[in-house]
Amino acid sequence: MTTTAQDLKTRLVVGMEIHVELATRSKMFTAAPNVAHPSNFDAAPNTLCDPVVLGMPGVLPVINRDAVEMAMLVGLALGCRIAKFTKWDRKSYYYPDLPKNYQISQYDLPLCYDGAFDLPVTDDSGNLPNVATKRIGIIRAHLEEDAGKLLHEAPGGHAIDHSIVDLNRAGTPLLEIVTQPDFETPEQCVQFAQMLRDICRSLGVSEGIMQKGHIRFEPNINVHIERDGKTHETPIVEIKNLNSFKAVYGAVAYEYQRQVEEWLENGGVMKPGTSGGKSTRGWDDVRQATFLQREKEEAHDYRYFPDPDLVPVKVSDQWLEEVKARLTELPHQRLLRYTRDLELNEKEARQIIDEPRLCAFFEQVLAAGVEPRRASAVLLNNLSRRANEKGLGVAELGITPAQVAAIDQLVRDSKVSSSAADELYKALADEPDAAADPAQLAEARGLVQVSDDAALSEWCDAAIAANAKSVEAVKAGKDAAIGALVGAVMKLSKGKANPKVVSEMLRAKLRT
């Protein structure tokens, strides 16, 4: 009988290599502007270069201290130990997009090492349990420089018969994070990728814009297959340069299935003491499949040796403590606090945490006295809508946390309706003024609700007289019909009546 993949007991084993471009102002070993810094996003090709980037004879690299400190911050966030002594090494092989033909990296003495990160994981229904975590070991996080970029089609997608080299990215500070093979599902890979991006953005070390290649993921995948009392391990495959969470999920899921099917065909397994058939593959977003690129090199193929032009980095206790003091509450910690203590649902919490400036603004609104769920609703609905209209972030609208708190108080005191509050947010977004008083603005725009009994009673009587069918429906026990009468009163009052008071007054009048 033929064995199929469904007949086998299999276990997916994945380790991740993640490359994070650090958003320093200058590059890793030179003062040339860094393409990963927001001020240089729109730079024309090959304009962020200097003799060091171009590998000209006689140039000398100089270490970027900010990049070292950013790397230390990420390492600390991932539970890593920070090396007291670390050095730089040259990694040599043919780089068509790195003119000096070697990369300055770290080989045997990385800056950050031996870490562990407890990843909050969701259950089968996609919900975040209160205490469930998955421990992910961090082997190392080391600094290096990025290579340039090769383009195989012209801007606009036009076909060409050659490659275009853009060296703006060459020399960009690059933090490479290498995990233990602790991931067991595509979902866990994506959750870690998302959380790491959030950590880097919250620490201010990377803008984390996936489309610009600020973070690139490379899962190393193999499968353990049990058959006839033995465990067979398929050769490891590294999927290169994934720059979206969708691609991470798709590539891991596809490769899991492909490796099992390939093993059934040829029985290929890892070979101790050799490369074991390791290979690198690319990901085709259109076909939703991986494709072979090349056989995987080993460390000796790179001909590592210490860089003679760079001094080692020695991290003193004082320097380490100064960097530690810059650590803030991390996104995974905030996620648990927001869902557990503030009682936000997970979707709301993740939306806030995913955007560092929005998260900081949310904390300021809480500090101003707004209840967490009300603050979340305002930021993710009222303010986000206004921000989208203007192409800005919520924190850049010019509306202050104090103004949000003041409008929230007006709503809670029934002085303005929720729709009127939205008008106030629009007015403040259109004409930002930190000194503007929302209460005075509501008065000036005629948005203050009328709660005067005499005026409300008059409008209620008029609505009752003009809506006999709704009145009869309410008297017959159809409580929902009261809404039509409330709507009539709101129309008569031009939206100024307090709907809650109106509803109570109508019920009182119709019960007599």
Side-chain angles (χ1 to χ4, degrees):
M1 187 173 86
T2 303
T3 302
T4 66
Q6 289 72 27
D7 299 326
L8 297 170
K9 183 177 181 181
T10 62
R11 182 168 70 89
L12 177 67
V13 180
V14 184
M16 295 275 279
E17 295 178 18
I18 304 101
H19 296 84
V20 181
E21 289 185 348
L22 302 178
T24 52
R25 287 193 170 273
S26 57
K27 293 188 175 180
M28 185 65 234
F29 298 110
T30 174
N34 178 12
V35 72
H37 189 274
S39 61
N40 302 313
F41 283 174
D42 298 323
N46 295 307
T47 58
L48 306 180
C49 303
D50 68 359
V52 177
V53 172
L54 297 175
M56 302 296 287
V59 297
L60 291 174
V62 178
I63 302 165
N64 186 327
R65 181 186 177 99
D66 283 348
V68 175
E69 292 186 349
M70 285 180 175
M72 290 165 63
L73 271 174
V74 176
L76 291 168
L78 295 176
C80 291
R81 299 170 66 183
I82 306 300
K84 297 293 184 183
F85 178 95
T86 185
K87 65 180 178 65
W88 306 95
D89 301 279
R90 291 187 179 181
K91 180 180 179 182
S92 302
Y93 67 95
Y94 179 59
Y95 287 90
D97 47 6
L98 197 59
K100 61 179 179 282
N101 217 31
Y102 64 84
Q103 179 189 42
I104 301 176
S105 183
Q106 295 185 307
Y107 175 46
D108 56 333
L109 295 175
L111 180 62
C112 313
Y113 64 100
D114 194 19
F117 182 81
D118 290 324
L119 176 69
V121 294
T122 56
D123 57 24
D124 292 339
S125 61
N127 298 316
L128 185 72
N130 284 334
V131 294
T133 57
K134 168 74 174 174
R135 174 148 287 205
I136 305 299
I138 309 297
I139 297 174
R140 60 190 284 149
H142 65 265
L143 268 171
E144 56 190 25
E145 57 182 338
D146 209 348
K149 185 186 295 184
L150 289 178
L151 305 176
H152 306 294
E153 57 182 28
H158 304 299
I160 54 177
D161 60 358
H162 58 280
S163 293
I164 301 173
V165 180
D166 181 5
L167 296 177
N168 277 353
R169 198 174 70 183
T172 293
L174 196 66
L175 180 64
E176 180 173 345
I177 300 155
V178 183
T179 79
Q180 296 282 4
D182 289 336
F183 301 98
E184 299 174 301
T185 67
E187 290 83 1
Q188 289 175 6
C189 295
V190 171
Q191 288 164 15
F192 181 79
Q194 290 173 327
M195 194 57 64
L196 180 62
R197 175 178 177 265
D198 288 343
I199 286 173
C200 291
R201 296 185 72 199
S202 72
L203 293 174
V205 306
S206 175
E207 292 297 304
I209 301 174
M210 312 283 279
Q211 299 90 330
K212 293 184 178 294
H214 292 170
I215 301 185
R216 307 190 293 274
F217 304 97
E218 297 181 347
N220 287 258
I221 307 163
N222 77 325
V223 183
H224 292 189
I225 302 170
E226 291 188 19
R227 189 178 189 185
D228 301 328
K230 295 180 180 180
T231 299
H232 308 270
E233 299 180 12
T234 61
I236 294 173
V237 167
E238 181 178 7
I239 312 297
K240 301 294 287 186
N241 292 324
L242 303 176
N243 66 352
S244 74
F245 302 131
K246 180 181 178 182
V248 170
Y249 182 93
V252 174
Y254 177 86
E255 193 60 23
Y256 185 9
Q257 179 180 352
R258 189 197 68 80
Q259 289 191 25
V260 173
E261 292 174 351
E262 184 178 79
W263 183 83
L264 284 170
E265 289 180 12
N266 61 28
V269 295
M270 290 288 292
K271 300 175 180 134
T274 72
S275 66
K278 290 182 184 178
S279 61
T280 64
R281 298 177 73 88
W283 172 247
D284 188 323
D285 257 329
V286 177
R287 293 174 48 243
Q288 291 288 292
T290 63
F291 58 90
L292 182 65
Q293 292 180 323
R294 56 186 167 84
E295 296 301 309
K296 179 67 176 172
E297 293 90 350
E298 296 296 312
H300 64 265
D301 295 316
Y302 296 127
R303 305 194 312 276
Y304 282 105
F305 69 91
D307 192 296
D309 295 331
L310 287 165
V311 298
V313 174
K314 298 179 181 179
V315 180
S316 67
D317 291 341
Q318 179 182 348
W319 188 14
L320 181 57
E321 289 304 313
E322 289 172 356
V323 174
K324 280 183 179 178
R326 291 161 54 186
L327 277 178
T328 59
E329 184 182 31
L330 297 172
H332 61 288
Q333 297 165 338
R334 277 205 171 120
L335 180 62
L336 292 177
R337 178 165 66 87
Y338 286 2
T339 54
R340 187 181 302 165
D341 301 338
L342 304 188
E343 299 182 347
L344 301 186
N345 68 49
E346 186 186 346
K347 182 180 179 182
E348 292 172 336
R350 287 191 184 277
Q351 280 183 273
I352 294 170
I353 291 167
D354 282 351
E355 194 59 52
R357 295 179 183 88
L358 175 63
C359 192
F361 191 77
F362 176 70
E363 292 286 342
Q364 293 167 355
V365 171
L366 294 183
V370 182
E371 189 271 330
R373 284 172 297 183
R374 293 176 67 88
S376 172
V378 169
L379 267 61
L380 297 180
N381 296 305
N382 306 79
L383 297 190
S384 288
R385 182 166 62 255
R386 303 304 174 200
N388 290 337
E389 291 170 356
K390 296 180 177 298
L392 299 170
V394 166
E396 286 75 56
L397 276 174
I399 299 174
T400 69
Q403 289 170 331
V404 174
I407 293 173
D408 179 69
Q409 189 64 51
L410 290 173
V411 174
R412 288 192 289 121
D413 290 343
S414 297
K415 292 183 178 178
V416 300
S417 65
S418 58
S419 59
D422 192 53
E423 288 192 46
L424 290 175
Y425 288 124
K426 182 180 186 307
L428 290 171
D430 289 342
E431 297 182 27
D433 180 359
D437 181 352
Q440 293 178 0
L441 186 60
E443 285 280 3
R445 291 177 174 257
L447 298 175
V448 177
Q449 291 186 141
V450 175
S451 297
D452 176 69
D453 285 351
L456 293 180
S457 180
E458 183 177 337
W459 286 324
C460 286
D461 289 341
I464 290 170
N467 295 274
K469 287 186 178 180
S470 295
V471 170
E472 291 303 318
V474 172
K475 289 183 176 180
K478 296 179 180 177
D479 204 49
I482 199 75
L485 294 173
V486 172
V489 172
M490 297 305 292
K491 185 175 181 180
L492 288 168
S493 67
K494 297 181 180 179
K496 294 182 179 180
N498 184 323
K500 183 178 178 181
V501 177
V502 166
S503 179
E504 293 172 354
M505 185 173 287
L506 285 168
R507 294 178 195 279
K509 286 178 176 289
L510 294 176
R511 283 198 298 266
T512 58

